[in-house]
Amino acid sequence: MSIFSKCRLLLVLTIGAIFLTGCMNQPTPEEKIYEVLENVVAEEKTFEEQQDPLVNLEKKEKELYDKIIALGMKEFDEITKLSDEASSIVDQRKDHMEKEQESIQASKEEFETLLPIIKEIEDKKLQEKSKELYEIMMDRYKIHDVLYKDYTEALEYDKELYAMFKKEDLSLEQLEEQISKINDMYENILDSNKQFNEKTKEYNEAKLAFYKEAGLQIKTAE
């Protein structure tokens, strides 16, 4: 059930800036925003680190699921063994998803510190760009909250499915009903994942546009 393919936030390095700092070398609002936005990237490092393990675990689980489906009930002992393995993988997926959510929440807490800084910007055009950037990112966080909720619920359905496989009196009707619930949930997850990727791309573009408008000479880094 491999569903994860997520865009990453851009890490932007400053080469120089054309705006001037104020008295006593106090940072300008633009400089403070730059620092916050790059801290946000750092906060999402753990989020990024969960993606490959999640995809690999989903693939392994799918392989086990296919083996279970291919077996007949006469091989019940093997089905039980494979179900336990698959259920263990679900637990591992949950651990990675929790780490991802914690990373996103830390990112959000850092990002929300922008709001009072945005009000300090004197240039109206630049302030509007920063407000647009803020709204885009907050939408991204909302999408991930939905994604996290649905993914967590889907994991519970997966666990139920593998417990059902271990019942010798499992009916085809019960199995089909559970699989249908799971498929519906993953359709929702795929949709949210697509929205999340699109919003991440939109944010990255808005971030670069803000830096350009602020006079920052920058380069991106993976």
Side-chain angles (χ1 to χ4, degrees):
M1 301 174 186
S2 178
I3 58 97
F4 276 91
S5 175
K6 294 189 177 177
C7 294
R8 299 178 177 182
L9 298 187
L10 287 176
L11 173 61
V12 181
L13 307 176
T14 54
I15 301 172
I18 63 172
F19 51 77
L20 300 176
T21 56
C23 298
M24 304 295 292
N25 290 321
Q26 290 296 313
T28 66
E30 293 86 349
E31 289 174 314
K32 288 190 280 187
I33 286 176
Y34 168 82
E35 182 178 359
V36 170
L37 296 188
E38 297 314 305
N39 286 342
V40 166
V41 176
E43 292 290 358
E44 292 201 14
K45 188 174 188 299
T46 300
F47 159 80
E48 294 177 8
E49 291 171 348
Q50 308 314 307
Q51 303 315 303
D52 287 344
L54 269 171
V55 170
N56 290 333
L57 286 169
E58 288 164 4
K59 288 179 179 178
K60 288 180 181 178
E61 185 187 330
K62 179 61 165 59
E63 290 171 2
L64 291 170
Y65 171 82
D66 289 342
K67 288 180 180 179
I68 292 169
I69 294 297
L71 291 172
M73 288 308 290
K74 291 181 180 179
E75 299 177 78
F76 184 71
D77 289 344
E78 182 65 16
I79 288 175
T80 299
K81 177 185 175 183
L82 293 173
S83 296
D84 285 339
E85 289 180 27
S87 184
S88 176
I89 288 177
V90 173
D91 291 335
Q92 294 175 56
R93 288 169 58 202
K94 184 176 182 180
D95 288 342
H96 284 291
M97 194 62 187
E98 291 299 331
K99 290 177 183 177
E100 174 179 310
Q101 178 68 356
E102 289 172 7
S103 179
I104 289 292
Q105 288 304 308
S107 165
K108 182 180 179 181
E109 288 177 13
E110 175 70 22
F111 188 80
E112 286 176 332
T113 65
L114 279 185
L115 210 50
I117 302 174
I118 290 173
K119 296 175 182 178
E120 298 175 14
I121 299 176
E122 296 181 0
D123 185 290
K124 294 302 179 183
K125 185 177 180 180
L126 190 57
Q127 189 179 73
E128 283 304 310
K129 281 191 175 295
S130 64
K131 287 179 180 178
E132 178 185 352
L133 182 71
Y134 188 86
E135 290 172 2
I136 291 170
M137 191 58 148
M138 294 308 291
D139 285 343
R140 178 177 177 268
Y141 291 130
K142 289 177 184 177
I143 293 169
H144 192 273
D145 284 343
V146 173
L147 179 60
Y148 169 71
K149 177 180 176 295
D150 287 348
Y151 195 86
T152 301
E153 188 171 349
L155 291 175
E156 291 301 317
Y157 288 163
D158 287 337
K159 290 280 286 186
E160 291 173 4
L161 176 65
Y162 296 122
M164 291 170 68
F165 279 135
K166 295 164 64 176
K167 296 179 179 179
E168 293 189 79
D169 61 347
L170 175 64
S171 70
L172 181 59
E173 182 180 359
Q174 290 173 316
L175 180 60
E176 288 178 343
E177 181 180 350
Q178 187 70 12
I179 291 174
S180 179
K181 284 167 57 178
I182 291 171
N183 288 341
D184 288 345
M185 187 58 68
Y186 279 106
E187 282 297 320
N188 292 339
I189 292 169
L190 283 168
D191 183 58
S192 293
N193 195 58
K194 180 180 178 182
Q195 292 179 46
F196 183 85
N197 286 342
E198 290 172 348
K199 194 59 67 173
T200 301
K201 181 180 179 182
E202 185 180 354
Y203 168 80
N204 284 334
E205 291 171 351
K207 177 179 172 179
L208 292 177
F210 172 81
Y211 285 167
K212 183 178 180 180
E213 185 69 26
L216 286 168
Q217 297 178 19
I218 53 162
K219 65 178 181 178
T220 61
E222 292 296 332

